[in-house]
Amino acid sequence: MGVVNVTPDSFSDGGRFLDHAAAVAHARDLLDQGADWVDVGGESTRPHAEPVPVDEELRRVVPVVEALAAGGAAVSIDTRKPEVARAAVAAGARLVNDVSASLAPVAAATGAGFVAMHMQGDPRTMQDGPAYGDVVAEVRAHLVERADAARAAGVTDVWIDPGIGFGKSLAHNLDLLANLDVLVATGYPVLVGTSRKTLLGTLAARADGGGQVPPTSDRLEGSVATAVWALLRGAAMVRVHDVAATVRALEAVDAVTASAA
Ligand code: HH2
């Protein structure tokens, strides 16, 4: 799944694809590079982000979804707002990717699929001391409850996502990635997004012997490594900014796996 942020302020590519034509061209590039889905979003959910008014979010995403879906692309809409999810599905999106895990009724009413992602708190405050007893068990329980409710409401295509970086410390993120099999064992397809996130900046600085955390534009190695890790541990899809590099890495790993079989 390739990321298409039609925003001025996304944490890694804010402002680059705010123009509709630039967003559509970028999404087409990601599809050419091997993405199966493009995930279009009009509101940053990075730590401390301020919410975007519904009209502005609609203005950002609907024409982009429409253009891509008209060309046959599998489009998901990354939103927390029912109005935006509804309009995007009407414009051709087939999956509602919801970091608040609250939009199952919209997915059910429109016939779209649904991604329930885990987030502790909300973007404005979620990184102010996130706390869990057992992060893996708590995230699993929350996601299963949301996914079961979505199924019961009539959604047939239901995904779960641990929400890496959404109200989680480095240790929480690593624990979730290390124990992805617990989520995979629920039977719901698992989506994982680590791409360019803070945990990878922290780990890159550690690898460099301490000091400067590299900018989001310089976190490719960790992004690809953790995407490959997630898929090898049973995730069904990864959400990435760098599709070409991820596809190449997977091709190499697939070749080894096929040869070992
Ligand atoms: N991460 C982001 C946004 N949406 N959706 C899912 N299902 N899983 C994720 O991990 C996830 C997500 C954050 O990344 P990005 O869209 O690049 O940044 P921003 O929220 O600043 O636009």
Side-chain angles (χ1 to χ4, degrees), residues 158-172:
V158 181
W159 297 68
I160 59 173
D161 183 326
I164 297 299
F166 285 83
K168 279 129 195 149
S169 67
L170 174 62
H172 297 142

Side-chain angles (χ1 to χ4, degrees), residues 181-203:
D181 54 323
V182 172
L183 297 184
V184 172
T186 64
Y188 288 106
V190 175
L191 172 64
V192 177
T194 58
S195 187
R196 301 183 183 174
K197 286 183 179 171
T198 298
L199 82 151
L200 303 176
T202 307
L203 295 175

Side-chain angles (χ1 to χ4, degrees), residues 150-259:
R151 278 260 168 89
V155 184
T156 48
D157 186 22
V158 181
W159 297 68
I160 59 173
D161 183 326
I164 297 299
F166 285 83
K168 279 129 195 149
S169 67
L170 174 62
H172 297 142
N173 289 318
L174 294 176
D175 210 357
L176 286 164
L177 289 171
N179 292 287
L180 276 182
D181 54 323
V182 172
L183 297 184
V184 172
T186 64
Y188 288 106
V190 175
L191 172 64
V192 177
T194 58
S195 187
R196 301 183 183 174
K197 286 183 179 171
T198 298
L199 82 151
L200 303 176
T202 307
L203 295 175
R206 193 190 281 180
D208 293 345
Q212 287 284 317
V213 172
T216 52
S217 57
D218 187 19
R219 299 181 186 171
L220 181 62
E221 301 88 344
S223 299
V224 171
T226 49
V228 170
W229 164 267
L231 291 167
L232 286 176
R233 302 296 284 189
M237 184 149 70
V238 286
R239 181 182 181 279
V240 306
H241 300 85
D242 301 289
V243 171
T246 309
V247 167
R248 281 186 178 174
L250 287 172
E251 192 66 40
V253 172
D254 278 353
V256 175
T257 312
S259 169

